Amino acid sequence: MTASRYGFFRANALSLVFGGLFLVTLVGQAIAGTADHNARQVADGLPAVSFLDYVTSSSFGVDVMENWQSEYLQFFLYVFATVWLVQRGSSESKEPGEEGTESDEEQQVGPHADEESPTWARTGGWRTALFSRSLGLLMGVLFLLTWAASSVAGWAAYNAEQLGQRQDPVSWVGYLGEADFWNRSFQNWQSEMLAVGSMAIFAVYLRQRGSPESKPVGAAHADTGQTG
């Protein structure tokens, strides 16, 4: 079925809904964060800040970037790990024995591409090689960019706290060696690893009728890679 048959919104409902939820939750975080920040300011005998001042501050920036980079790390690792690693019985996995990048025929690249295949899948050479790994590479680049942004925002927030306590600020490189930076990073990363691992194993034994993230309700626990 073509997307035009259903209309733009129905054909793109998943991305549009989650895009909307992202904006709602980001605004919610900004509002709640401003209130929390000002409560601490008042408790310390300091003046409250405006909403605009808070959302442009390093405090807000580091909280947002830390969450973003952990999400992109999760997808980067998962996209590449599922090429070579399997979980028997999980809808999130290939069948045991099917590890690897698969043949050109299975992946519909080069001479095996059809007329509706993306241009770079048909071209061959470095373009096809790059396009064949573009999803994982993009997740990796976005992780590095958001990691860098979170480190800079965290550095600024850390130095603001240092100055407020009449202590010397540190350089960006120095901040990368601080426990504060790694505590923030591992705090976010471990939750993502737990979520991905849980999804992979729970999908073996549990079902969600109608979801492509689940096997059909009647599928055997040992069936791998099936979606409902």
Side-chain angles (χ1 to χ4, degrees), residues 199-220:
M199 182 62 182
I201 194 65
F202 290 160
V204 176
Y205 302 105
L206 305 177
R207 309 286 188 270
Q208 182 60 53
R209 185 169 183 160
S211 174
E213 299 303 311
S214 167
K215 292 185 289 188
V217 176

Side-chain angles (χ1 to χ4, degrees), residues 18-103:
F18 275 92
L21 289 172
F22 161 72
L23 293 176
V24 168
T25 52
L26 183 63
V27 171
Q29 180 186 354
I31 294 171
T34 303
D36 179 62
H37 180 80
N38 282 336
R40 286 184 279 111
Q41 288 284 98
V42 171
D44 292 337
L46 299 172
V49 301
S50 68
F51 177 79
L52 181 61
D53 284 339
Y54 176 72
V55 297
T56 56
S57 70
S58 58
S59 296
F60 180 69
V62 69
D63 288 342
V64 172
M65 287 297 107
E66 280 176 357
N67 284 295
W68 290 9
Q69 53 104 354
S70 64
E71 297 297 334
Y72 286 123
L73 174 64
Q74 171 197 149
F75 285 118
F76 166 69
L77 292 176
Y78 197 62
V79 165
F80 278 106
T82 50
V83 175
W84 300 102
L85 305 178
V86 298
Q87 175 60 58
R88 184 172 182 266
S90 178
S91 59
E92 299 288 309
S93 169
K94 294 188 289 189
E95 287 277 3
E98 295 182 356
E99 298 90 340
T101 56
E102 302 179 346
S103 67

Side-chain angles (χ1 to χ4, degrees), residues 155-202:
W155 171 48
Y158 181 81
N159 278 341
E161 189 174 311
Q162 287 287 97
L163 293 172
Q165 297 174 352
R166 292 184 171 81
Q167 297 182 26
D168 292 334
V170 300
S171 66
W172 177 70
V173 173
Y175 177 66
L176 296 183
E178 291 288 337
D180 178 80
F181 173 70
W182 291 107
N183 178 50
R184 288 175 176 272
S185 296
F186 284 122
Q187 187 179 62
N188 285 279
W189 295 353
Q190 55 87 14
S191 63
E192 302 305 327
M193 301 307 108
L194 175 64
V196 171
S198 298
M199 182 62 182
I201 194 65
F202 290 160

